[in-house]
Amino acid sequence: MQMKRVVVPALVASFFTTPLIAQDKTMLVLDASGSMWGQIDGKAKITIAQNTIGTLLSDLEAGDDLGLMAYGHRRKGDCGDIEVLVETGPETVGEIASQVNRISPKGKTPMASAISQAASSMRHVEDRATVILISDGVETCSPDPCAVARMLEETGVDFTAHV
């Protein structure tokens, strides 16, 4: 599996315009590492991500089973800084939008661990599960995110990870 960098609005839009969210438990995993303060056309990547996610969340239908996880948002230099901010469930759009707007990037990029934790939080071996990772960068902690995604795909029932 090869990871591809995509400008955040295009990445997020591609997932919200597919029927994935209505069919699966879906966990949005937001990169809140320090690199999200980087600029695209004079605008911070975290601001672009927040605005885009907010706009697209407003277009979702009621009852979509959606959750939010973030990493790198609480502590600098901590590969364990991963947190489920909103558990997957129906009627979570408002809380997800609120949490996304409060995020202030600080730390590392434990991408692989976040993907694994997101899948586990949705009981991916029991239910269909989708992880949508919104990230600008490269893993800065230890595991290989592609290897973790492959392993989860092999052990899960209809598990899908989008990066």
Side-chain angles (χ1 to χ4, degrees):
M1 176 188 295
Q2 187 175 29
M3 289 191 169
K4 197 165 113 175
R5 286 188 178 178
V6 180
V7 176
V8 174
L11 174 69
V12 176
S14 71
F15 295 114
F16 282 95
T17 57
T18 65
L20 291 174
I21 291 178
Q23 296 172 0
D24 301 339
K25 287 183 174 183
T26 302
M27 181 69 74
L28 296 175
V29 179
L30 180 59
D31 180 347
S33 64
S35 66
M36 290 296 282
W37 286 119
Q39 305 274 310
I40 297 175
D41 296 330
K43 203 169 197 184
K45 291 182 250 182
I46 189 63
T47 303
I48 295 167
Q50 290 166 327
N51 292 340
T52 303
I53 292 169
T55 298
L56 294 168
L57 286 173
S58 67
D59 293 336
L60 291 179
E61 294 183 24
D64 288 340
D65 206 1
L66 187 63
L68 174 68
M69 174 182 278
Y71 60 80
H73 62 296
R74 297 177 294 183
R75 297 178 295 277
K76 291 183 178 183
D78 183 356
C79 287
D81 185 10
I82 302 167
E83 180 182 25
V84 173
L85 298 171
V86 180
E87 294 288 340
T88 54
E91 311 303 328
T92 58
V93 169
E95 180 61 19
I96 289 170
S98 176
Q99 290 289 338
V100 165
N101 288 329
R102 283 187 239 165
I103 288 176
S104 179
K106 291 178 180 52
K108 301 282 261 178
T109 307
M111 194 180 303
S113 294
I115 292 168
S116 181
Q117 287 182 33
S120 294
S121 76
M122 294 184 292
R123 295 188 308 268
H124 71 284
V125 295
E126 299 169 22
D127 301 313
R128 289 176 56 164
T130 300
V131 175
I132 299 173
L133 174 62
I134 302 164
S135 177
D136 73 331
V138 177
E139 175 74 47
T140 60
C141 297
S142 56
D144 171 15
C146 293
V148 169
R150 274 192 301 276
M151 184 269 307
L152 289 170
E153 182 81 37
E154 291 169 4
T155 61
V157 177
D158 291 322
F159 173 78
T160 305
H162 296 282
V163 181

